[in-house]
Amino acid sequence: NINNDEIGALINELLQESAKRNLPCMGIVQMVYYTQEFSYENMDMEAMVVVTQDGESIRTLPGGTFVSVTHRGHYDGLHFAYEALTAWMAQHHEYKLNGVPMDRYLNSPHTVSPENLETMVLFPVTKN
């Protein structure tokens, strides 16, 4: 478990490990959250990066149906994307959550300004 302030370091460690193993990254980093309740201080999560080849400890996530929204702006506002998806789910009872939520970081704070950051939030779902 980590706190919110440690996410950047976790991602950097993941990217360094990928480079060390000669696993070229495609640029998309994602976080999967395993806790039911969000907490800035204590999150059970996993950082992942898309790589271009197989290797040791590489796994493929299962596909499926997702509802998603793309948040544009600083990460501090990411909770608005979660609130939008939660509200949408509350209005569309034919969809049920079928797994854990994830964030996909579509660009990097190292290459774009905070107001141009793009993060996709995905909820895996099944349709009744």
Side-chain angles (χ1 to χ4, degrees), residues 30 32 34 46 48 59-66 98-100 102 104 122 124-125:
Q30 69 183 27
V32 178
Y34 296 107
E46 183 177 9
M48 301 173 179
R59 64 186 169 106
T60 301
L61 296 179
T65 303
F66 296 84
N98 183 32
V100 294
M102 63 184 91
R104 284 191 182 150
L122 300 104
V125 295

Side-chain angles (χ1 to χ4, degrees), residues 45-88:
M45 61 190 308
E46 183 177 9
M48 301 173 179
V49 64
V50 176
V51 295
T52 59
Q53 65 191 43
D54 283 335
E56 185 179 331
S57 301
I58 301 299
R59 64 186 169 106
T60 301
L61 296 179
T65 303
F66 296 84
V67 295
S68 69
V69 65
T70 300
H71 170 75
R72 186 174 183 141
H74 195 275
Y75 299 136
D76 289 348
L78 201 53
H79 64 93
F80 293 118
Y82 278 86
E83 291 169 8
L85 283 177
T86 301
W88 188 90

Side-chain angles (χ1 to χ4, degrees), residues 4 7 33 35-43 79 82:
N4 192 57
I7 291 175
Y33 300 96
T35 50
Q36 293 290 333
E37 297 293 324
F38 180 79
S39 166
Y40 283 109
E41 290 78 36
N42 188 20
M43 292 184 278
H79 64 93
Y82 278 86

